[in-house]
Amino acid sequence: MDKTTAVIDSPEALGAALCRHVPDMANGFTITTRDSQLQLTVTAEDTRPFIAAMERLLKGKIRQIQRGHQERVLDEKEAIFDANNKIIAERQAEYARLLWDGNPPFTTDELDRIAAIYRAAMSRKKADSHTDTGI
């Protein structure tokens, strides 16, 4: 007997086996070793411990695959988070360097605009102080 069985490694395929094949084992089944040297027929009345063991095995394998998937997703999110933190840290370091070097992070036009706003505010303040009668 030369049968090749594919490895089942997805939760969906394992779930299908759990729902379809394990209940069918209650009718009896045959265990065959890879080299076909041993063939053991399990009758319907002797299947209960095998079914329980197969259910535990398949459910455990499904949980293992799902945990592995969740860990990969978390690893990917952590890598994105780390990359974003690195960008933020680099920007903060550049900003701190600009301030430390005495170079504010403003363009010449922005500095001129700030100076104009300051001058206008000071002119208003002087004008308000001259028109104040003190009454």
Side-chain angles (χ1 to χ4, degrees):
M1 180 183 268
D2 187 25
K3 286 188 176 180
T4 304
T5 305
V7 175
I8 300 174
D9 61 355
S10 73
E12 296 79 14
L14 293 168
L18 187 61
C19 293
R20 190 175 322 125
H21 300 298
V22 173
D24 188 45
M25 288 172 65
N27 298 319
F29 56 91
T30 302
I31 298 173
T32 305
T33 60
R34 188 175 298 220
D35 63 2
S36 301
Q37 292 293 320
L38 172 67
Q39 273 195 318
L40 176 65
T41 300
V42 179
T43 61
E45 36 305 322
D46 295 329
T47 60
R48 188 174 301 274
F50 291 96
I51 291 172
M54 186 58 72
E55 285 177 345
R56 280 193 308 276
L57 175 76
L58 292 173
K59 288 177 182 177
K61 187 66 175 168
I62 290 169
R63 282 192 300 274
Q64 179 184 10
I65 292 170
Q66 289 172 337
R67 274 195 309 270
H69 175 70
Q70 290 169 345
E71 289 171 2
R72 284 191 301 277
V73 168
L74 291 175
D75 288 345
E76 290 169 8
K77 287 183 179 181
E78 184 177 9
I80 292 168
F81 184 74
D82 288 345
N84 288 340
N85 281 344
K86 183 178 178 185
I87 290 168
I88 291 168
E90 288 169 354
R91 287 181 183 167
Q92 288 175 335
E94 178 65 15
Y95 182 75
R97 187 189 61 77
L98 288 171
L99 291 176
W100 183 261
D101 290 346
N103 301 318
F106 298 112
T107 64
T108 305
D109 291 338
E110 291 169 328
L111 289 172
D112 290 343
R113 176 95 171 113
I114 291 168
I117 292 169
Y118 178 77
R119 283 191 302 272
M122 293 307 291
S123 294
R124 276 193 305 273
K125 184 175 181 181
K126 285 180 184 177
D128 288 345
S129 67
H130 289 296
T131 59
D132 189 12
T133 58
I135 301 178

